[in-house]
Every structure is written in structure tokens, then in C-alpha cells.
Amino acid sequence: MRGPVVHVMRFEQRLEAPPGAVFPFFADARNLEAITPPLLRFRLLTPEPVAMGVGTFLQYALRIRGVPVRWDTLIQEWDPPHRFVDVQVRGPYRLWHHTHELEPVDEGRATLMRDTVRYAVGFGGLGEVVRRAVVRRDVEAIFAFRAEQVPGLVAGPAGRDYAGAARASKMRFAPGSSPRDGAR
């Protein structure tokens, strides 16, 4: 019996703040609400305060196309200020493995943020049809929304606000991961 088909999507975005200023934003689980499209009505259910690290279990509620969904994730890797990995324990996907990487650029004055999402929908051929028609576009839309929101929410050194960096920030598909490139 063949296992689920795993698809990979990659996104990159330059942020005009060093990784040490960017990482704390993502270390606060509540901030995921601010960078998720309002249509999803994404809410953190895990009682606060949330101490992030390997083994942190996070519970969320959201709506996917109006349908209420619980999403439970586990932090599998935690390496501030460079990277962390969250994996779905329970939720809408057969597999969800999200690697967040923050690489210093411009001698550490800025950050190249990379997101690599490995996911599987399940449900065989029907799941593949749904993935192509809906899921892929929905995930792309979520990351496009994040690309618009994150620069204005990340604070830099000495409390400097990088809201103006939103205009300079660019989100793009990593080479070979755009649907137009035939990536799976």
C-alpha cells in the first residue's frame, strides 16, 4: 500500500530587521493570529503564558471555508534565533511539517525568512483533486497575507518599528516551488 503523496511549498521573505529581533515575534504563539487571514478566524486555545520550546503543544481553533476545525501542533525543533519546526498532531492535513528558518543577511542587519511546508492531504485521488483545486491556493493565500503583515509587526533593535519595511519586503516562491514551476 502506497503512503500519502507529500507536497512541498517554499516561501522566502526579506525582513529589514536582524534575526534576533525577528525571532521573538514568532516565539509568541499569540502572534499567529495576527498573521493569519481574518477569514480563518484563527484563535489560540492553549492557556497562557505559553513557554515555547521543543515539546510545546499548541491548540488552535479556526474555520476552513466556514467549517470549524481544531488544529493541534507540536514544536519539534527550537533553535533561537535561527529556526524552529512545528508539526501537526491533529488537524485538517494528513501531514503538516513546517520549518521556519531565519538567516542573517546584509552583515546581520536584515533577515531572510524561509518557510518550508511539507504537507499531505490524504483521501487518495479525491484528496489530490481537492489539493489542486483548493488547498494549494489556500496555503499560498495564507503565506501571501503573512508576507504583507509580518514586516509591520516585527520590531527591530531599540524598539525601532519596521512598519515602513513592508514596502521593501518581498515574498516570493523559492526556486522550484512555485505551482507554475510544476512543483508538487
Side-chain angles (χ1 to χ4, degrees), residues 4 42 56-60 62 64 69-77 85-100 116-123 135 139:
F42 196 89
T56 299
F57 183 71
L58 299 164
Q59 297 178 302
Y60 302 99
L62 67 149
I64 298 177
V69 174
R70 272 281 301 275
W71 191 326
D72 298 343
T73 63
L74 184 70
I75 302 299
Q76 191 175 59
E77 294 181 38
V85 175
D86 62 88
V87 295
Q88 174 189 282
V89 175
R90 171 181 155 186
Y93 296 93
R94 176 116 183 237
L95 167 74
W96 180 269
H97 183 280
H98 183 182
T99 301
H100 310 251
T116 304
V117 177
R118 293 170 182 82
Y119 72 100
V121 176
F123 302 106
V135 174
V139 173

Side-chain angles (χ1 to χ4, degrees), residues 136 140 173 177-183:
R136 181 177 60 197
E140 289 170 354
F173 288 98
S177 68
S178 169
R180 292 174 295 285
D181 295 338

Side-chain angles (χ1 to χ4, degrees), residues 17 23 26 31 46 52 59 78 94 96 101-103 114 118 140 153 176-177:
F23 197 90
F26 292 99
N31 286 334
T46 304
M52 295 291 280
Q59 297 178 302
W78 189 255
R94 176 116 183 237
W96 180 269
E101 296 174 295
L102 303 173
E103 178 185 330
R114 289 190 183 101
R118 293 170 182 82
E140 289 170 354
L153 297 171
S177 68

Side-chain angles (χ1 to χ4, degrees), residues 107-141:
E107 298 175 1
R109 292 186 302 270
T111 300
L112 180 61
M113 181 173 69
R114 289 190 183 101
D115 289 281
T116 304
V117 177
R118 293 170 182 82
Y119 72 100
V121 176
F123 302 106
L126 176 62
E128 182 60 17
V129 169
V130 170
R131 184 194 71 82
R132 288 182 184 187
V134 177
V135 174
R136 181 177 60 197
R137 279 186 284 176
D138 284 356
V139 173
E140 289 170 354

Side-chain angles (χ1 to χ4, degrees), residues 140-162:
E140 289 170 354
I142 289 167
F143 279 90
F145 182 85
R146 287 182 182 182
E148 293 172 3
Q149 299 301 310
V150 169
L153 297 171
V154 173
R160 181 174 169 199
D161 183 2
Y162 283 86

Side-chain angles (χ1 to χ4, degrees), residues 157-173:
R160 181 174 169 199
D161 183 2
Y162 283 86
R167 290 182 297 282
S169 175
K170 302 288 183 213
M171 191 276 292
R172 64 183 191 273
F173 288 98

Side-chain angles (χ1 to χ4, degrees), residues 4-37:
V5 177
V6 176
H7 303 278
V8 178
M9 296 181 81
R10 293 180 180 90
F11 305 92
E12 292 182 352
Q13 180 175 11
R14 179 188 169 93
L15 299 168
E16 299 303 323
V22 173
F23 197 90
F25 176 81
F26 292 99
D28 185 340
R30 295 170 301 185
N31 286 334
L32 193 50
E33 293 177 14
I35 62 172
T36 302

